[in-house]
Amino acid sequence: MAAEPLVTQMRKGVLDYCVLALLHDRSRYGFEIVQTLAAIDGMLTSEGTIYPLLGRLRRDGLVQTEWKESSGGPPRRYYRATSDGRRALRAFREEWSTFRAGVDRILASGGPA
Amino acid sequence: MTAPHADQIIAGYLARLEAALAPLPSSRRQELIDDVRSHIAEARGALADETDADLLTIIERLGEPSETAAEEMAGTRAASSTATTVPSGGRQNLLEILAIVLLLVFWPAGVVLLWISDLWTTREKLIGTLVPPGGYLGIFFFGPVLLLTGGGFGCGSWSGSTTGPDGQTVTTSGTNCPPGVVMALFGVLGAIVVVAVLVSPIFTAVYLGRRLKRRSRIDSRRGAESQPRLVG
């Protein structure tokens, strides 16, 4: 638990892109996104915060929404990445692998050789 | 089975969330509250037999309302440059409102807008399209045609003459009208059908309007029009 603020800080920059990745190939509804993220340790501590995030992605044109009937329950709002969203994700992937490699190198050796 | 204090627990949480979101415009606040409310409904739906403890777990996992509110406000600041150019009010649903009006007065254009919008489900769009097909245009164009071709129920009189075996002409005449009671019944049924058909577009419009009101949102259309403002 002591490490939580650290994880929170690290998550801040990447959660948007994790959500975009989930919505890259198919649409999902809010609760489904929450469940998927919650199953991964440290990705989502306060599930309620995912909804402001989804709203922001939509306002920024990175995801689009669609209402679909659900079996039994009320209609669900489904989210899906737009072409802008997929482009943003692609850019992030490249940055991320460079960044991760850099951090790993520093952590392993104490600095660039 | 519903947990004994389910309603109180949920209402209490949503009230705290609403209070935390007080600085936001009401449409934005309501949207987030709707999202959280359906989240709770989905989470409850996944339980076989809920207890108060289950509900408290759902609430706890959602996190502090202040945390959710802070996340939402952060989004506001980032988007404030565009948020100020769009006044908060009914303007955002112009397309949907126009769709409903056009469904009544000029159905073909109304249907196009109906299907463009992303605020209705496919089922709702089908109802909007097919009840009645063509809207008032359809009723006034095809209604009379149907009445004329389907007018077999009308009654008329007939007369004829045959030549009898003895060479005399026998004239017979009469009407093929059904008995008066049946006619009256047809009349009443016909009137009901006509009224139902005439009123159905209004019902459809009201139905679509109510669904829209429930989920009318500032943002989804802007997202659909894909006006990118932030990438990366």
Side-chain angles (χ1 to χ4, degrees), chain B residues 3 6 11 41 48 62 73 88 105 110 113 133 142 150 163-164 179 185 189 214 222 228:
Chain B
L62 276 169
M73 314 279 193
S88 64
V105 299
L113 294 185
F142 297 109
T163 309
L185 204 62
L189 278 179
R214 202 178 303 169
R222 262 195 273 160

Side-chain angles (χ1 to χ4, degrees), chain B residues 67-168:
Chain B
E67 220 177 322
T68 305
E71 181 75 24
E72 182 71 23
M73 314 279 193
T76 307
R77 224 180 301 118
S80 61
S81 56
T82 50
T84 48
T85 60
V86 180
S88 64
R91 221 195 82 179
Q92 292 79 15
N93 292 319
L94 198 64
L95 181 132
E96 284 75 20
I97 291 162
L98 200 62
I100 293 175
V101 171
L102 283 173
L103 276 176
L104 290 172
V105 299
F106 189 64
W107 182 86
V111 164
V112 171
L113 294 185
L114 177 72
W115 287 89
I116 286 176
S117 167
D118 60 358
L119 286 185
W120 285 302
T121 67
T122 306
R123 191 176 73 186
E124 288 155 10
K125 287 174 179 178
L126 280 174
I127 289 174
T129 307
L130 297 176
V131 183
Y136 279 122
L137 276 186
I139 291 172
F140 290 127
F141 274 109
F142 297 109
V145 176
L146 283 177
L147 280 182
L148 287 177
T149 55
F153 283 124
C155 72
S157 55
W158 52 271
S159 68
S161 54
T162 51
T163 309
D166 55 354
Q168 273 197 319

Side-chain angles (χ1 to χ4, degrees), chain B residues 25-45:
Chain B
S26 67
S27 55
R28 185 95 168 256
R29 185 168 62 228
Q30 197 53 49
E31 175 173 15
L32 190 54
I33 289 169
D34 285 349
D35 282 341
V36 171
R37 187 182 281 121
S38 39
H39 172 103
I40 295 171
E42 296 275 2
R44 292 177 75 189

Side-chain angles (χ1 to χ4, degrees), chain A residues 27-42:
Chain A
S27 57
R28 296 172 195 256
Y29 58 96
F31 187 66
E32 192 186 357
I33 298 169
V34 168
Q35 278 185 312
T36 312
L37 291 173
I40 300 165
D41 216 19

Side-chain angles (χ1 to χ4, degrees), chain A residues 25-74:
Chain A
D25 294 324
R26 67 179 183 94
S27 57
R28 296 172 195 256
Y29 58 96
F31 187 66
E32 192 186 357
I33 298 169
V34 168
Q35 278 185 312
T36 312
L37 291 173
I40 300 165
D41 216 19
M43 281 315 289
L44 202 56
T45 45
S46 299
E47 296 178 352
T49 56
I50 201 72
Y51 296 102
L53 187 156
L54 287 168
R56 195 173 62 240
L57 291 179
R58 193 181 51 211
R59 281 190 296 276
D60 291 340
L62 301 181
V63 300
Q64 61 192 22
T65 63
E66 188 191 357
W67 288 87
K68 285 187 196 169
E69 301 292 340
S70 67
S71 52

Side-chain angles (χ1 to χ4, degrees), chain A residues 72-94:
Chain A
R76 289 166 170 156
R77 181 171 26 214
Y78 277 75
Y79 298 81
R80 192 186 176 98
T82 61
S83 52
D84 282 328
R86 289 196 292 271
R87 203 173 305 136
L89 179 62
R90 211 177 306 133
F92 174 78
R93 270 188 216 281
E94 287 171 23

